[in-house]
Amino acid sequence: MIGGAPILPPAFGSPFPAVPSAVPNFGSPLRTQPSTGYGMPAPQPPARPPLAQQQAPAPRVIRGQRPDEPVPVAPPPRAIRQPVLHMPSPEELGVSGNNRSEIPAVDWMAVHNQLDRLGATCFHLERMSEGRCRVTCLLPTQQRDRSHRIEAEAATEADAVRLVLARAQEWATQR
């Protein structure tokens, strides 16, 4: 329908009078494309050539502040010579340190073997202040609930162990 009237070939007239309508008519629902005859659709108009591509404008930089001010270049600082530090040794300071190489080592295997031969039930080594050592040893007595305590204190661990072993040996031979 065009303008409210059906589209018919010119040889046929409309049996109904044409009445204008307030509703727009967008064409016949049965025919969406005009035909050229024999049920063939009309050729489509040629596609539009693509528009010339427009050059995108260069992006604009918009800052909300002033540009940074240039940093003034300071002259390089003069080289400051650091003093060389010297750490004095304990001997230069007059402090005597206990060198482990000067302290005689204890043969713990021999100590344990001798304590086992004497029948010791307890052996205790205590390091005290100022580098001194105390060694305590408990040996069994004739009474079942009692033990004999042997104690020695010396400047070094080796000396304290030797004293305790000597006293334990002496006590065991007197028994």
Side-chain angles (χ1 to χ4, degrees):
M1 291 173 123
I2 298 178
I7 301 175
L8 296 174
F12 298 101
S14 173
F16 304 105
V19 179
S21 171
V23 178
N25 188 356
F26 295 106
S28 171
L30 300 177
R31 291 179 47 194
T32 56
Q33 296 179 348
S35 66
T36 57
Y38 304 109
M40 299 295 295
Q44 295 289 330
R48 288 189 202 171
L51 297 175
Q53 292 188 1
Q54 297 179 352
Q55 293 292 331
R60 295 176 53 192
V61 176
I62 300 173
R63 295 182 67 183
Q65 66 184 29
R66 294 187 334 207
D68 294 336
E69 294 184 16
V71 177
V73 178
R78 288 182 285 165
I80 298 173
R81 189 168 194 183
Q82 296 290 332
V84 177
L85 297 177
H86 172 70
M87 179 70 91
S89 67
E91 291 78 23
E92 291 174 349
L93 294 173
V95 178
S96 65
N98 289 341
N99 286 343
R100 290 285 179 188
S101 62
E102 294 175 7
I103 299 173
V106 177
D107 183 7
W108 289 108
M109 185 60 81
V111 170
H112 285 287
N113 287 337
Q114 188 171 355
L115 289 171
D116 284 342
R117 279 194 305 267
L118 294 171
T121 57
C122 178
F123 177 81
H124 179 74
L125 171 70
E126 179 182 359
R127 290 192 170 92
M128 300 166 43
S129 62
E130 302 161 4
R132 297 187 61 81
C133 284
R134 179 183 298 147
V135 176
T136 307
C137 172
L138 296 179
L139 297 174
T141 63
Q142 298 295 333
Q143 295 176 346
R144 196 169 180 202
D145 298 347
R146 300 229 175 216
S147 57
H148 182 73
R149 179 185 173 122
I150 298 175
E151 186 174 298
E153 187 176 318
T156 66
E157 184 179 276
D159 290 340
V161 169
R162 272 191 230 110
L163 281 172
V164 163
L165 289 177
R167 290 178 186 169
Q169 186 68 39
E170 182 183 331
W171 183 82
T173 56
Q174 290 178 0
R175 233 177 44 162

